[in-house]
């Protein structure tokens, strides 16, 4: 079933947007990371791609454009074997696309587990994930992943602008559920699926309404994460100032400290406000 979502497509303001050099490529600690891959690549990028192709290529599948190869290289810290393995896994996953819009997909999309909220100052899509709603007793893992894939393909195909907007912001609501209240293994599978199939798409992840135990667990776990990953994940503990440094309050629901009425309908997707500018 063909579906069209005109309420989330880029308007002329977004299409005319010119990202800054720092938005294209930036430095985080000891790492230099590219956020926008489509368009002109620099000498360093091309050298990394050429070296990889000499050692591991060529790759016949037309999905492997130079920007797409670079996306996977960066996501794997430029490790050859790891990159090749994830590329092979991605090729198999691509064969499952597109996901047809059917009753099961619609049920997932209307459940409010994940939905489109708005855009940040740089027009990146803002996605809300109500993690506390993930429940494999109500839907199977297959239904979750089919629905999630359909949703994210809509975001990529209808909201991104290659070379201008290629990343997303995720707001996760845990609703103060602890380790027992949350289906941790289910969430791990969902997050792993996101990471494996949507490489280098995450700009920031803000996690809301956590318990003290989860905060302690995170403080221990992050010691084993790369600095680049730590910088992307922010636990919000009352003060939402960091979120609104890059997002207008009109783009965010009241439950996250914004001015938009909390949503009760989640699909078809829409963006309520076209005011993406910095807060006054």
């Amino acid at each position: 079933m063909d579906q069209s979502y005109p309420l989330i497509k880029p308007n002329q303001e977004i299409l005319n947007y010119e990202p800054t050099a720092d938005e294209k490529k930036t430095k985080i600690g000891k790492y230099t990371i590219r956020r926008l891959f489509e368009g002109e690549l620099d000498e360093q990028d091309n050298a990394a791609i050429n070296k990889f192709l000499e050692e591991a290529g060529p790759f016949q599948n037309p999905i492997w454009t130079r920007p797409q190869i670079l996306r996977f290289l960066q996501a794997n810290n430029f490790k050859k074997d790891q990159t090749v393995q994830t590329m092979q896994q991605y090729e198999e996953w691509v064969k499952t696309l597109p996901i047809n819009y059917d009753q099961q997909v619609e049920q997932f999309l209307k459940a409010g587990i994940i939905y489109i909220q708005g855009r940040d100052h740089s027009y990146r899509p803002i996605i809300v994930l109500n993690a506390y709603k993930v429940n494999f007793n109500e839907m199977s893992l297959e239904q979750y992943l089919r629905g999630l894939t359909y949703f994210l393909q809509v975001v990529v195909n209808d909201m991104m602008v290659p070379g201008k907007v290629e990343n997303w912001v995720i707001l996760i609501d845990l609703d103060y559920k602890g380790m027992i209240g949350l289906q941790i293994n289910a969430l791990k599978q969902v997050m792993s699926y996101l990471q494996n199939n949507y490489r280098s798409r995450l700009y920031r992840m803000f996690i809301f309404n956590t318990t003290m135990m989860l905060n302690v667990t995170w403080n221990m776990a992050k010691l084993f994460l790369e600095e680049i990953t730590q910088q992307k994940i922010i636990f919000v503990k009352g003060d939402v100032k960091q979120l609104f440094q890059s997002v207008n309050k009109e783009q965010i629901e009241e439950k996250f400290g914004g001015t938009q009425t909390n949503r009760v309908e989640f699909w078809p997707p829409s963006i309520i406000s076209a005011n993406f500018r910095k807060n006054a």
Side-chain angles (χ1 to χ4, degrees):
M1 183 185 301
D2 293 331
Q3 300 289 315
S4 178
Y5 306 105
L7 296 181
I8 61 171
K9 289 185 180 293
N11 59 23
Q12 202 59 46
E13 176 185 344
I14 298 170
L15 294 175
N16 291 339
Y17 173 64
E18 289 300 329
T20 65
D22 191 57
E23 286 171 325
K24 295 177 182 178
K25 197 171 187 179
T26 191
K27 195 168 182 62
I28 298 180
K30 62 181 180 180
Y31 298 96
T32 299
I33 65 165
R34 179 168 285 282
R35 299 195 193 281
L36 302 178
F37 292 82
E38 299 296 334
E40 185 176 354
L41 302 176
D42 61 28
E43 184 178 345
Q44 181 183 26
D45 297 327
N46 282 309
I49 296 169
N50 292 339
K51 181 175 185 293
F52 175 70
L53 289 174
E54 288 172 6
E55 296 176 353
F59 296 92
Q60 303 300 328
N61 194 314
I63 65 174
W64 296 119
T65 61
R66 291 177 70 83
Q68 186 74 337
I69 290 172
L70 182 61
R71 186 183 293 279
F72 273 70
L73 275 169
Q74 178 174 286
N76 289 286
N77 293 321
F78 295 88
K79 296 175 182 177
K80 183 192 71 173
D81 292 342
Q82 190 172 316
T83 301
V84 171
Q85 181 181 2
T86 57
M87 288 172 67
Q88 291 170 342
Q89 292 170 345
Y90 182 78
E91 283 190 11
E92 291 303 309
W93 175 75
V94 166
K95 294 176 183 177
T96 68
L97 303 178
I99 300 296
N100 292 324
Y101 187 93
D102 56 24
Q103 189 173 4
Q104 283 195 336
V105 168
E106 185 176 75
Q107 179 190 9
F108 171 86
L109 295 171
K110 290 188 173 183
I113 297 165
I114 192 167
Y115 54 93
I116 294 162
Q117 178 62 48
R119 292 180 183 268
D120 71 2
H121 296 332
S122 298
Y123 307 106
R124 304 178 189 96
I126 301 169
I127 296 169
V128 173
L129 172 60
N130 286 323
Y132 64 92
K133 289 189 175 184
V134 175
N135 187 343
F136 283 178
N137 295 323
E138 296 179 355
M139 296 185 201
S140 67
L141 174 61
E142 180 186 4
Q143 185 175 355
Y144 269 100
L145 296 185
R146 286 187 73 248
L148 186 62
T149 302
Y150 184 90
F151 173 85
L152 292 174
Q153 289 304 111
V154 168
V155 175
V156 171
N157 295 330
D158 287 16
M159 298 189 74
M160 300 296 193
V161 181
K164 295 176 183 284
V165 182
E166 298 182 20
N167 317 111
W168 49 49
V169 177
I170 299 181
L171 311 184
I172 296 183
D173 185 3
L174 299 181
D175 194 36
Y176 299 105
K177 296 290 191 298
M179 303 292 282
I180 297 176
L182 292 168
Q183 294 202 2
I184 299 300
N185 287 334
L187 286 171
K188 282 182 179 178
Q189 291 183 73
V190 170
M191 299 310 292
S192 176
Y193 184 82
L194 281 171
Q195 177 178 294
N196 292 339
N197 299 313
Y198 296 93
R199 300 276 173 175
S200 302
R201 290 290 185 187
L202 180 65
Y203 175 70
R204 288 280 189 276
M205 178 185 293
F206 294 89
I207 303 178
F208 289 79
N209 303 326
T210 64
T211 63
M212 184 178 296
M213 180 57 68
L214 282 174
N215 288 334
V216 171
T217 302
W218 164 248
N219 286 332
M220 295 171 59
K222 72 179 183 180
L223 298 175
F224 302 96
L225 296 176
E226 302 255 7
E227 182 181 2
I228 185 172
T229 303
Q230 290 187 38
Q231 291 283 343
K232 290 183 177 182
I233 302 173
I234 299 166
F235 276 68
V236 180
K237 303 172 185 177
D239 187 359
V240 294
K241 186 183 300 183
Q242 198 164 0
L243 171 63
F244 293 119
Q245 288 175 354
S246 59
V247 182
N248 189 289
K249 289 187 176 182
E250 291 184 23
Q251 298 297 313
I252 301 297
E253 292 170 284
E254 292 175 348
K255 71 174 185 175
F256 297 123
T259 60
Q260 192 178 127
T261 302
N262 293 336
R263 295 198 179 212
V264 293
E265 294 184 358
F266 309 100
W267 199 263
S270 64
I271 293 180
I272 305 300
S273 171
N275 183 6
F276 309 113
R277 297 187 301 273
K278 294 185 178 181
N279 299 293

